[in-house]
């Protein structure tokens, strides 16, 4: 027996849908992202409670047990995850969403003989399985459990084609017969397609794949809304799918590459198939005291944060350094590349955690014209997003990707742990430029020593 009337159910669904739309609006800006996230969570809570009290539920103890187990796993994981592991967590949650949608579709297959509903079941199973398997590979690459380089084997395009053809045939048979056996075959082929889709993707393309798989999960959830006859699920999935698709397109454009080139470029040798070899070419190194003198007596400094800053958890130290320089009258801003880090907005979140004012952040298009008037660029843990090879080397895997043009500044200081290449595995010629100096070491420790020297000036 349901406790909510259809009218109240529709009204609460509408309220939840509005919350989801407002959440997306809030997440479009760093200033309103925290509020947008809270509104989205409130909408999700309203949706879950409404379903619980409006539907004729069976197996309520099992449902409550599943909610308890899920909460017991998710809450401590979300609280303990490090900022550097946030992309893995996002990819993991995304994959779990796609996998859950696929499993629900399998269970609902026998509840309807309507061919359109079965078509929705097939779509949900296939796309959900692709998202689950692809996200699992993405987590492995981000965690470096498997190589970040594109993984290929002879005949892989043909195998991929055969898997897709088999999935299409299985899907047709599921629609015609409703066979559970063919649905399980479809599920297996979907998992194989997800693996084959993401394994050839390497290096700097991983953040875009995270966004693309997020869009896949949204579409799978929307289709599961058709399967279950739940309008709110259809709306929520469509919002996620649409926003993920737009984000994927924007990020691909920011890298100067097409989505198909990112997914299948490795088959033609065009992906970020770099190496992990450490360069032994000579570079000009410096000391924290020398870097402090350069920064302390500059008029304008641009700080470029990258994944190395997140790894070192140096966001609070770099924020303190920026404050100390500003106290000496130095104009300090942070330059943010759209794909810096391991996921969209990674650097914005990192700096927001250290209370860096939003007004100090500059997007790529905004800051690039300002580098020519910059005394010093301090690159902290970034590499590929400032690599001039993206503009000067047509054979480079990242050729065409817009970069932060720090080479235009008067001086460039790199804070690096070693001479290993960045995530794309490409050597950075800027490290060998006469205007560039390097300060080796853990980013947080190096920043702390520079900060101490600046305060002592």
């Amino acid at each position: 027996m349901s406790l909510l009337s259809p009218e109240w159910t529709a009204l609460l669904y509408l309220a939840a849908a509005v919350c989801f739309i407002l959440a997306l609006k809030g997440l479009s800006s760093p200033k309103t992202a925290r509020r947008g996230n809270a509104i989205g969570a409130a909408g999700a809570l309203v949706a879950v409670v409404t379903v619980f009290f409006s539907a004729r539920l069976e197996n309520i103890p099992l449902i409550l047990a599943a909610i308890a187990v899920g909460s017991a796993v998710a809450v401590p994981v979300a609280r303990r995850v490090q900022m550097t592991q946030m992309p893995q967590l996002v990819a993991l949650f995304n994959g779990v969403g796609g996998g859950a949608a696929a499993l629900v579709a399998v269970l609902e297959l026998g509840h309807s003989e309507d061919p359109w509903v079965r078509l929705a079941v097939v779509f949900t199973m296939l796309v959900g399985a692709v998202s689950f398997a692809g996200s699992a590979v993405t987590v492995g690459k981000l965690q470096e459990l498997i190589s970040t380089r594109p993984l290929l084997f002879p005949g892989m395009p043909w195998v991929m084609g055969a898997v897709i053809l088999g999935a299409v045939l299985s899907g047709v048979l599921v629609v015609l017969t409703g066979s559970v056996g063919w649905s399980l075959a479809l599920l297996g082929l979907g998992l194989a397609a997800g693996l084959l889709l993401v394994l050839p993707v390497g290096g700097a393309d991983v953040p875009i794949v995270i966004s693309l798989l997020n869009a896949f999960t949204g579409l799978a959830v929307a289709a599961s809304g058709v399967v279950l006859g739940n309008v709110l699920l259809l709306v929520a999935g469509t919002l996620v799918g649409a926003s993920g698709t737009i984000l994927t397109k924007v990020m691909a454009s920011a890298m100067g590459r097409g989505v198909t080139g990112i997914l299948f470029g490795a088959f033609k040798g065009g992906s970020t198939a770099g190496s992990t070899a450490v360069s032994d070419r000579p570079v000009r190194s410096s000391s924290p005291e020398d870097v402090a003198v350069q920064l302390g007596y500059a008029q304008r400094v641009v700080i470029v944060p990258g994944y190395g800053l997140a790894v070192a958890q140096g966001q609070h130290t770099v924020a303190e350094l920026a404050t100390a320089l500003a106290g000496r009258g130095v104009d300090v801003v942070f330059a943010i590349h759209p794909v810096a880090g391991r996921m969209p907005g990674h650097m914005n979140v990192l700096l927001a955690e250290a209370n860096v004012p939003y007004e100090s952040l500059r997007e790529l298009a905004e800051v690039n014209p300002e580098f020519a008037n910059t005394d010093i660029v301090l690159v902290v843990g970034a590499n590929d997003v400032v690599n001039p090879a993206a503009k000067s080397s047509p054979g480079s895997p990242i050729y065409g990707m817009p970069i932060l043009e720090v080479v235009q500044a008067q001086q460039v200081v790199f804070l690096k742990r070693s001479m290993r290449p960045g995530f794309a595995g490409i050597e950075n010629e800027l490290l060998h430029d006469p205007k560039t100096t390097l300060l080796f070491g853990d980013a947080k420790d190096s920043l702390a020593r520079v900060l101490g020297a600046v305060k002592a000036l």
Side-chain angles (χ1 to χ4, degrees):
M1 173 180 173
S2 58
L3 299 179
L4 289 175
S5 67
E7 292 76 13
W8 271 107
T9 300
L11 188 62
L12 290 172
Y13 277 176
L14 178 61
V18 171
C19 284
F20 295 153
I21 295 172
L22 293 176
L24 285 177
K25 175 62 177 174
L27 292 171
S28 64
S29 168
K31 291 182 180 178
T32 56
R34 191 185 298 270
R35 184 177 60 197
N37 196 44
I39 293 174
L45 179 61
V46 169
V48 171
V49 172
T50 302
V51 169
F52 206 84
F53 289 109
S54 64
R56 298 180 183 274
L57 298 178
E58 299 176 356
N59 302 315
I60 291 180
L62 289 177
I63 295 173
L64 293 176
I67 293 175
V69 171
S71 301
V73 173
V75 170
V77 169
R79 284 186 174 277
R80 294 175 184 174
V81 67
Q82 299 294 321
M83 183 57 67
T84 53
Q85 298 171 322
M86 194 60 73
Q88 291 93 311
L89 184 66
V90 171
L92 184 63
F93 281 171
N94 180 55
V96 170
L103 290 178
V104 168
V106 173
L107 295 175
E108 289 295 316
L109 179 60
H111 293 173
S112 175
E113 296 183 357
D114 187 330
W116 293 107
V117 173
R118 287 183 177 177
L119 184 61
V121 167
V122 166
F123 182 86
T124 305
M125 288 172 55
L126 180 60
V127 178
V130 169
S131 179
F132 176 77
S135 297
V137 176
T138 304
V139 171
K141 284 178 175 281
L142 291 170
Q143 196 67 23
E144 298 188 3
L145 299 175
I146 59 178
S147 173
T148 59
R149 301 182 62 188
L151 297 176
L152 303 167
F153 57 82
M156 190 172 186
W158 293 102
V159 174
M160 182 72 169
V163 168
I164 293 175
L165 181 60
V168 171
L169 291 175
S170 300
V172 170
L173 290 171
V174 170
V175 172
L176 294 177
T177 67
S179 166
V180 175
W182 282 114
S183 69
L184 294 178
L186 175 64
L187 199 61
L189 289 167
L191 293 172
L195 293 175
L196 295 170
L197 185 70
V198 180
L199 283 175
V201 177
D205 294 333
V206 170
I208 297 178
V209 174
I210 293 175
S211 177
L212 180 64
L213 293 173
N214 180 55
F216 281 8
T217 295
L219 294 175
V221 170
S224 69
V226 176
V227 174
L228 297 171
N230 188 300
V231 176
L232 181 59
L233 207 54
L234 178 61
V235 172
T238 302
L239 288 173
V240 174
S243 58
T245 302
I246 294 172
L247 180 60
T248 302
K249 184 71 173 60
V250 170
M251 291 181 66
S253 299
M255 294 184 69
R257 309 182 65 193
V259 176
T260 55
I262 290 169
L263 293 176
F264 307 112
F267 294 142
K268 298 184 296 184
S271 181
T272 51
S275 72
T276 57
V278 178
S279 173
D280 57 357
R281 294 170 58 189
V283 295
R284 195 158 61 100
S285 60
S286 186
S287 66
E289 291 74 19
D290 290 340
V291 173
V293 170
Q294 288 180 279
L295 295 172
Y297 292 100
Q299 292 183 334
R300 178 176 173 77
V301 172
V302 176
I303 300 175
V304 178
Y307 184 66
L309 179 67
V311 171
Q313 288 291 287
Q315 62 270 28
H316 295 283
T317 310
V318 78
E320 191 176 351
L321 175 61
T323 301
L325 292 174
R328 293 179 57 86
V330 181
D331 180 19
V332 184
V333 297
F334 291 81
I336 308 297
H337 193 282
V339 296
R342 295 290 188 269
M343 70 176 186
H346 196 177
M347 293 301 106
N348 300 72
V349 174
L350 191 71
L351 295 177
E353 182 183 313
N355 295 317
V356 173
Y358 300 123
E359 294 74 17
S360 298
L361 308 186
R362 299 287 188 276
E363 300 296 334
L364 181 144
E366 183 183 4
V367 75
N368 266 346
E370 300 177 3
F371 281 121
N373 300 318
T374 299
D375 297 310
I376 301 176
V377 173
L378 186 65
V379 183
V380 187
N383 203 329
D384 301 324
V385 297
V386 298
N387 193 334
K391 298 187 66 176
S392 59
S393 302
S396 169
I398 63 170
Y399 182 70
M401 181 182 82
I403 59 170
L404 293 167
E405 299 180 9
V406 302
V407 69
Q408 302 295 331
Q410 304 302 313
Q411 298 289 328
V412 180
V413 177
F414 271 85
L415 268 58
K416 283 181 67 67
R417 186 182 294 271
S418 71
M419 287 297 291
R420 286 188 62 184
F423 200 50
I426 303 165
E427 188 172 9
N428 192 342
E429 284 297 327
L430 184 58
L431 299 176
H432 310 283
D433 191 283
K435 70 172 64 173
T436 300
T437 57
L438 283 81
L439 178 58
F440 288 106
D442 176 82
K444 184 178 180 180
D445 292 341
S446 297
L447 286 167
R449 288 186 292 165
V450 171
L451 174 61
V454 166
K455 290 181 177 179
L457 290 176

